Amino acid sequence: DTGVSQNPRHKITKRGQNVTFRCDPISEHNRLYWYRQTLGQGPEFLTYFQNEAQLEKSRLLSDRFSAERPKGSFSTLEIQRTEQGDSAMYLCASSSTRTGPYSPLHFGNGTRLTVT
Amino acid sequence: GNSVTQMEGPVTLSEEAFLTINCTYTATGYPSLFWYVQYPGEGLQLLLKATKADDKGSNKGFEATYRKETTSFHLEKGSVQVSDSAVYFCALRHPRGTSYDKVIFGPGTSLSVIP
C-alpha cells in the first residue's frame, strides 16, 4: 500500500490553457473523490466515482471541469480554459466500501495549481 | 443542506495545555463524524471518527464525543505537544445507499503549540 498518489505536485499555467491532473488511488479502493482546497478553507467536494461510474458532481464543477476514471483505477481531472479563480490545491482521496459504509477517506498530497 | 462549523483560529497554546476545538454540524438523519488533521507539508489524514450518537472517537490522546442533542463533536486533548501543531478539520459523512456519499469538511482550525 503506497497510499494515494497525485501528479504533478505543482502546476503553473497561463490563463486560458488546459491542465490535466492524475490521481492513483490505493489499489483495492473502489471509491475515488476529488476535492478543491483554497487557502484557509476546508476541502470542497467536487465529484466522486465508484469504480468507473461518476456518481455525483458538485454544482461547483463548471462545464470547464471534467473528471474520468475509465477503468475504475486511476482518475484524471481536466480543467479547460483555466481562470485565475481556479488556482487552488486539488485533492484526491480514495476509500473502500468493502470495509463498511464509514470507511475513512485516504488523501493524497494534492496538486497545487497556479493560474497566472 | 449538510454543513459543518468550527471555531475560528488560529489557536496558540503552550505545551501541555488543554485543547478544545469546537465543532457543530447541521445534517438530516444520522451522519458519521470525523476529525481530520493536516500537518505542515502533508496530506489530510484521519485522526478519529464516531459513527453514532454518544460514540467517543479517540486517537493519539485526542478525543471527541458525538453529541446528537447539541449536534456537536468537539475535539479535546488533555496535554498538547509541539508536534500537534497542525490544521484540524471537522467533517461529516452521510451515506445513503451508493448514490450519495461525500464527506463535508469544516473550514479548519489552525493550532500552534509553543514550547
Side-chain angles (χ1 to χ4, degrees), chain B residues 13-115:
Chain B
L13 294 174
S14 297
E15 206 165 22
E16 298 184 1
F18 184 86
L19 169 71
T20 300
I21 300 178
N22 290 337
C23 169
T24 57
Y25 67 90
T26 300
T28 55
Y30 302 93
S32 52
L33 301 173
F34 304 85
W35 278 99
Y36 281 79
V37 59
Q38 189 170 30
Y39 297 104
E42 299 184 15
L44 279 87
Q45 53 187 278
L46 179 68
L47 180 60
L48 53 84
K49 68 179 182 181
T51 58
K52 60 183 187 295
D54 300 325
D55 265 4
K56 177 185 283 188
S58 62
N59 186 25
K60 298 182 181 179
F62 290 89
E63 293 183 340
T65 301
Y66 188 164
R67 301 286 188 201
K68 191 171 190 314
E69 63 275 13
T70 54
T71 62
S72 65
F73 192 54
H74 304 321
L75 182 68
E76 297 182 335
K77 186 173 186 182
S79 176
V80 293
Q81 305 301 311
V82 172
S83 58
D84 294 326
S85 299
V87 182
Y88 292 82
F89 296 92
C90 186
L92 71 82
R93 186 176 191 177
H94 199 170
R96 292 190 299 205
T98 59
S99 63
Y100 179 87
D101 178 24
K102 64 189 181 189
V103 179
I104 297 171
F105 288 85
T109 301
S110 175
L111 170 67
S112 293
V113 180
I114 53 177

Side-chain angles (χ1 to χ4, degrees), chain A residues 9 31 33 35 37 40-45 48 50 55-56 58 91 95 97 100-109, chain B residues 30 32 34 36 38 41-46 49 51 89 93 95 97-108:
Chain A
R9 290 295 303 273
R31 285 199 175 166
Y33 303 76
Y35 283 81
Q37 186 178 21
Q41 299 297 315
E44 295 177 298
F45 172 79
Y48 89 94
Q50 177 153 316
L55 296 187
E56 187 174 353
S58 166
L91 301 173
S95 71
T97 57
Y102 305 109
S103 58
L105 271 59
H106 296 259
F107 281 86
N109 287 340
Chain B
Y30 302 93
S32 52
F34 304 85
Y36 281 79
Q38 189 170 30
E42 299 184 15
L44 279 87
Q45 53 187 278
L46 179 68
K49 68 179 182 181
T51 58
F89 296 92
R93 186 176 191 177
T98 59
S99 63
Y100 179 87
D101 178 24
K102 64 189 181 189
V103 179
I104 297 171
F105 288 85

Side-chain angles (χ1 to χ4, degrees), chain A residues 67-96:
Chain A
E68 294 183 340
R69 195 184 183 198
K71 298 181 180 178
S73 57
F74 73 91
S75 176
T76 57
L77 177 68
E78 181 183 18
I79 309 174
Q80 296 182 327
R81 306 181 302 282
T82 53
E83 302 172 356
Q84 287 188 323
D86 297 332
S87 296
M89 178 74 86
Y90 289 84
L91 301 173
C92 178
S94 68
S95 71
S96 172

Side-chain angles (χ1 to χ4, degrees), chain A residues 2 15 24 27 45 70 77 108:
Chain A
T2 57
R15 189 178 56 181
D24 288 89
S27 58
F45 172 79
L77 177 68

